[in-house]
Amino acid sequence: MTAMKPEDAVRHVIATDPTFAVHEVDVRGVTFKAFKNIPPTVPSLLAAGWARHGDGALEYLAYEGEVLTYADFTSKVHRLAHAMRDELGVRQGDRVAIAMRNYPELLALVLAISSIGGVVVFVNAWWTTEELDYALRDSGAQIVFADSPRLQRLEPLQSELGLTLIGVRDAEGQSAHDLTALETNAASDTAPVVTIDTDDDFAVMYSSGTTGHPKGVVQSHRGAVNAVFSWLMQSVVAPLVTPPEPDATAPPRPSALVVTPLFHVTATHPLFLLSLPAGAKITLMHKWDAEGAVRLMRDNSITRFLGVPTQSAELMQAALKMGETLPAMDYLGSGGAKRPGAQVTQLAEAFPNAGIATGWGMTETNALGIGMIGEDYTARPESAGKLHPPVQELRMLDDAGNDVPVGCLGEITVKSPANMRCYLNKPEATAETMQDGWLRTGDLGVLDEDGYVTILDRKKNIIIRGGENIACLDVEGALHRHPDVLEAAAFSVPDDRLGEAVGAAVQLKNGATLTCDDMATFLQGHLAPFKIPVHLWVQRDVLTRGATDKIDRRAIRTACLDNLKVKV
């Protein structure tokens, strides 16, 4: 087979494989390119993947010694769907929240809720009671499936918000409803009959923004499935670009290890949802442990690893220590944050059979965006890659919304059916971000003549700690609760392991003192632990301001890191 250029391979697949045929669609008055023949909704992915999973017979979901076949998992989804509709009264359009660590039940609940037309509200499992209170009020979700730590944080809100709490795993027996009982008493294990439009809401995922509270990103069914089939198409295009040797053995069944939280798109969309039509097996880790991940991947011939850069680095260090090269792994991806360029070649040497990959996407794009793998990446380790075809369009814009020339700094702006519908309850933020179908991402970069994008800066005041987005104003708002803090500025601090950590500078009242440990103790219960600053600078003078008399966060950060010569 003669190798094709990537662009030619994409055109060939679109023209010859009906699965990936593309047409134009009108969505709320905007015309998009979209896949023509793919499943219309997220729950329909379950049936679409049946044959790829051995007509349900293959192992699909593994966790801590527990294994479900695809048929077992499908039956579980259907039983929970009937139970939610019959016992809990969930109806189309109702928002139902999930608050738990990465358990198998979380995956089943996503499909069960959406299969009866409900809208999944993904709750950050690290949030405090205060943060949970905001998200539940904002989303209007009154039914929440939760494990024990989350249930305990939700109980103070139950009466005031009228919550129905369903205990999962270690929370069973702690509330009026248990998931096991709901599933056991379900009336049927066949798919519920519900008419769901492809442009109906599928989920609300919360993403930190420059405002203090996180923003609820409303994703549609069309958006999620178009993202999934954009990634699936890559597996069809790849052998056309790099043909296998004539005597090469057939590739193994894809198998993915999930190591990032399932309340983020990095885990839900390109791992879980993609696994359904791709015929891939999913393995969940109870808690991230690099050596444990190496053992799981080695012993279970796991082919796909996608985590934040910190996890890639720790996986590599553990594998080298254990003398493992993980030959079954053919994909080692990075999402959530930029991987250090120097690490790319190191990973390629440590895992010679794996294609080292990078990706950029957003909650607002259903994780679809830019990426690259293999030689492209090792040749351009500082780049984010190219736009994933075929339904996305890309522009680089200045502040006035004009296209900038190739090679000039601009805001990455994308248009595709995978873009969010809106920010929940935030019309002004939606209008600022979504313009005629184009999503202004807030990320600044440069597009070269070959179509590669290099991301250089963020317009948003966001700290990315190990792939977790933290709004500076969220941290500052909590710091201002302290009675001795007059003013506060939060910013990113370089961290060798996590990429970035949270730092803060505060102006104190005269005579007051505040240590970093004192501050951390005070913030417990107000902020999730990962948001609490690990470095604190204290001063009596007002914080540095810019020309408009606003706090100059960049200048403060520079002064704290450079002038004070603090080692980080």
Side-chain angles (χ1 to χ4, degrees):
M1 181 188 295
T2 303
M4 295 183 181
K5 293 181 178 179
E7 296 79 6
D8 293 336
V10 168
R11 284 192 289 268
H12 174 78
V13 171
I14 292 172
T16 61
D17 188 337
T19 300
F20 301 105
V22 173
H23 67 155
E24 289 190 343
V25 296
D26 182 275
V27 182
R28 293 178 292 276
V30 178
T31 301
F32 295 95
K33 293 187 295 182
F35 289 111
K36 183 179 181 180
N37 300 318
I38 63 175
T41 66
V42 170
S44 62
L45 293 173
L46 190 62
W50 185 260
R52 296 290 297 271
H53 292 271
D55 290 333
L58 295 179
E59 291 184 356
Y60 171 63
L61 183 54
Y63 172 76
E64 296 279 293
E66 304 172 22
V67 178
L68 292 175
T69 66
Y70 199 73
D72 293 335
F73 179 74
T74 299
S75 177
K76 187 180 191 71
V77 169
H78 295 336
R79 289 196 304 271
L80 288 172
H82 283 284
M84 277 189 272
R85 188 169 62 180
D86 299 340
E87 299 297 323
L88 300 179
V90 177
R91 296 293 180 262
Q92 285 191 251
D94 288 352
R95 297 186 183 123
V96 180
I98 304 174
M100 67 184 72
R101 68 179 311 129
N102 284 7
Y103 285 131
E105 289 82 357
L106 193 158
L107 303 184
L109 285 167
V110 169
L111 295 178
I113 294 166
S114 58
S115 69
I116 54 175
V119 181
V120 183
V121 177
F122 289 90
V123 171
N124 189 313
W126 297 325
W127 279 344
T128 64
T129 297
E130 286 185 13
E131 292 163 316
L132 291 168
D133 184 32
Y134 170 78
L136 293 176
R137 290 179 188 272
D138 184 58
S139 68
Q142 291 186 298
I143 296 175
V144 188
F145 290 85
D147 61 8
S148 184
R150 265 51 64 176
L151 194 72
Q152 292 174 25
R153 295 176 208 165
L154 287 163
E155 284 174 343
L157 309 173
Q158 185 172 8
S159 177
E160 184 176 354
L161 299 185
L163 301 179
T164 298
L165 303 178
I166 299 94
V168 180
R169 293 273 168 164
D170 54 357
E172 296 214 348
Q174 298 179 18
S175 63
H177 299 279
D178 291 339
L179 184 139
T180 299
L182 283 174
E183 182 183 349
T184 301
N185 297 330
S188 174
D189 64 354
T190 60
V193 179
V194 180
T195 301
I196 304 169
D197 189 87
T198 189
D199 289 311
D200 284 349
D201 293 347
F202 153 60
V204 177
M205 273 191 167
Y206 281 89
S207 176
S208 293
T210 53
T211 56
H213 289 300
K215 290 181 285 193
V217 176
V218 181
Q219 301 167 341
S220 70
H221 288 271
R222 187 194 296 273
V225 296
N226 271 270
V228 165
F229 275 79
S230 295
W231 297 313
L232 188 63
M233 184 174 173
Q234 293 176 43
S235 66
V236 179
V237 168
L240 300 178
V241 176
T242 308
E245 296 296 329
D247 57 349
T249 58
R253 181 192 180 201
S255 177
L257 182 66
V258 177
V259 298
T260 57
L262 283 161
F263 50 77
H264 285 326
V265 286
T266 301
T268 51
H269 290 50
L271 289 179
F272 166 46
L273 295 182
L274 177 59
S275 75
L276 302 171
K281 180 179 177 180
I282 291 289
T283 300
L284 303 180
M285 286 196 77
H286 178 73
K287 184 179 181 181
W288 170 246
D289 172 73
E291 291 190 10
V294 171
R295 286 189 290 271
L296 275 173
M297 298 186 72
R298 177 195 64 200
D299 297 343
N300 296 278
S301 298
I302 289 173
T303 65
R304 185 177 177 87
F305 181 94
L306 176 59
V308 297
T310 301
Q311 291 169 320
S312 295
E314 293 178 352
L315 184 79
M316 175 176 64
Q317 293 166 1
L320 291 172
K321 176 183 175 182
M322 299 164 69
E324 301 288 348
T325 60
L326 302 180
M329 180 170 61
D330 59 24
Y331 178 93
L332 198 165
S334 172
K338 184 182 179 299
R339 176 186 279 133
Q343 195 184 99
V344 180
T345 300
Q346 297 170 358
L347 289 167
E349 292 173 351
F351 305 114
N353 288 359
I356 311 304
T358 188
W360 168 94
M362 304 173 69
T363 308
E364 289 88 338
T365 67
N366 276 276
L368 186 61
I370 295 166
M372 59 182 170
I373 189 171
E375 294 180 0
D376 271 1
Y377 189 21
T378 54
R380 305 170 181 82
E382 299 298 336
S383 175
K386 288 185 173 182
L387 198 71
H388 290 312
V391 300
Q392 294 190 101
E393 300 173 66
L394 173 68
R395 298 172 69 189
M396 307 295 287
L397 303 180
D398 62 18
D399 287 342
N402 302 311
D403 292 279
V404 302
V406 170
C408 294
L409 186 69
E411 182 178 0
I412 299 170
T413 307
V414 293
K415 179 182 180 182
S416 89
N419 285 352
M420 69 174 183
R421 180 172 70 80
C422 68
Y423 287 123
L424 185 64
N425 303 325
K426 291 179 170 55
E428 292 182 0
T430 301
E432 181 181 349
T433 302
M434 297 292 297
Q435 298 163 9
D436 297 322
W438 291 91
L439 189 148
R440 301 200 64 156
T441 68
D443 288 320
L444 301 176
V446 173
L447 175 69
D448 70 17
E449 293 181 350
D450 296 319
Y452 290 91
V453 176
T454 299
I455 299 173
L456 299 177
D457 202 352
R458 296 191 299 276
K459 292 177 73 174
K460 307 170 185 176
N461 294 319
I462 292 289
I463 301 164
I464 302 181
R465 176 192 180 275
E468 191 72 37
N469 286 358
I470 302 168
C472 290
L473 292 185
D474 197 8
V475 178
E476 292 165 5
L479 286 167
H480 278 105
R481 291 172 176 266
H482 194 288
D484 292 330
V485 171
L486 295 176
E487 206 164 45
F491 45 82
S492 67
V493 175
D495 186 280
D496 290 338
R497 177 172 176 269
L498 297 167
E500 294 179 347
V502 183
V506 297
Q507 179 194 1
L508 295 182
K509 293 179 179 178
N510 288 335
T513 60
L514 184 67
T515 67
C516 194
D517 287 342
D518 292 338
M519 173 201 63
T521 299
F522 174 81
L523 291 178
Q524 289 177 6
H526 297 298
L527 285 177
F530 71 92
K531 298 180 184 178
I532 294 177
V534 294
H535 299 280
L536 179 69
W537 288 265
V538 174
Q539 62 187 65
R540 305 294 173 188
D541 298 330
V542 297
L543 299 181
T544 304
R545 279 165 160 68
T548 60
D549 203 34
K550 293 181 180 179
I551 289 177
D552 190 337
R553 187 176 283 102
R554 289 189 179 184
I556 294 169
R557 179 181 186 274
T558 298
C560 289
L561 297 185
D562 293 342
N563 297 345
L564 299 183
K565 300 186 184 302
V566 174
K567 293 182 180 180
V568 295

